[in-house]
């Protein structure tokens, strides 16, 4: 009991294929026009979505080269940590394309350290890319209590 398919909870943090950058042209667009954020283990480039796109969401691209680690197992471990950290934060991120590049220092850090570095970098990018309120668009101040003619 309890192990059947109907009993499984559906995750609200899915990571569908459309959430990935796949084509070389998509990566080149981010590298050509994105904003760069650096940390000790990763470099992050972000290309915010165009303002007119109503259905835009955060999408992930990543590169973990053989310079980081010659062993595929180690590179795949880093990729899994990037994917999972991004998947969990995706709903809170501003829409756009996010490309992570692992640095060689990432090979020596455990999974918890990788996740912490990723979350810190994503937080830095999210706060930097949130649209700021344009000057002059603040709501008017609350009106002061007016004196009625009967108060004088």
């Amino acid at each position: 009991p309890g192990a059947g398919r109907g009993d499984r909870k559906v995750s609200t943090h899915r990571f569908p294929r459309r959430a990935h950058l796949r084509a070389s042209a998509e990566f080149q667009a981010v590298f050509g026009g994105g904003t760069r954020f650096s940390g000790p283990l990763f470099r992050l480039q972000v290309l915010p979505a165009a303002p007119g796109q109503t259905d835009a969401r955060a999408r992930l691209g990543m590169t973990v080269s053989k310079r980081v680690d010659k062993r595929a197992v180690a590179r795949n471990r880093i990729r899994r940590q990037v994917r999972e950290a991004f998947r969990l934060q995706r709903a809170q991120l501003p829409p756009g394309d996010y490309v992570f590049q692992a640095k060689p220092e990432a090979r020596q850090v455990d999974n918890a350290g990788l996740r912490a570095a990723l979350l810190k970098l994503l937080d830095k990018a999210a706060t930097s890319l949130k649209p700021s309120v344009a000057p002059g668009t603040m709501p008017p101040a609350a009106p002061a209590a007016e004196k009625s003619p009967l108060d004088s």
Side-chain angles (χ1 to χ4, degrees), residues 59-143:
R59 299 190 312 159
L60 172 67
M62 67 181 117
T63 62
V64 183
S65 71
K66 285 187 178 179
R67 269 189 30 209
V68 173
D69 200 318
K70 290 188 184 330
R71 300 170 306 141
V73 167
R75 293 193 308 271
N76 289 337
R77 176 184 71 90
I78 295 169
R79 284 187 191 106
R80 280 194 304 273
Q81 296 306 314
V82 171
R83 195 176 304 117
E84 183 65 5
F86 187 83
R87 183 184 72 83
L88 294 174
Q89 295 298 312
R90 184 172 177 235
Q92 287 82 35
L93 294 172
D97 295 340
Y98 295 74
V99 176
F100 283 93
Q101 292 177 289
K103 294 182 178 180
E105 294 82 3
R107 117 186 75 190
Q108 299 152 349
V109 180
D110 66 348
N111 290 346
L114 290 174
R115 280 193 303 272
L118 289 162
L119 293 175
K120 189 174 181 181
L121 211 50
L122 282 171
D123 187 49
K124 187 193 299 188
T127 55
S128 171
L129 296 173
K130 291 262 188 213
S132 60
V133 176
T137 59
M138 294 287 294

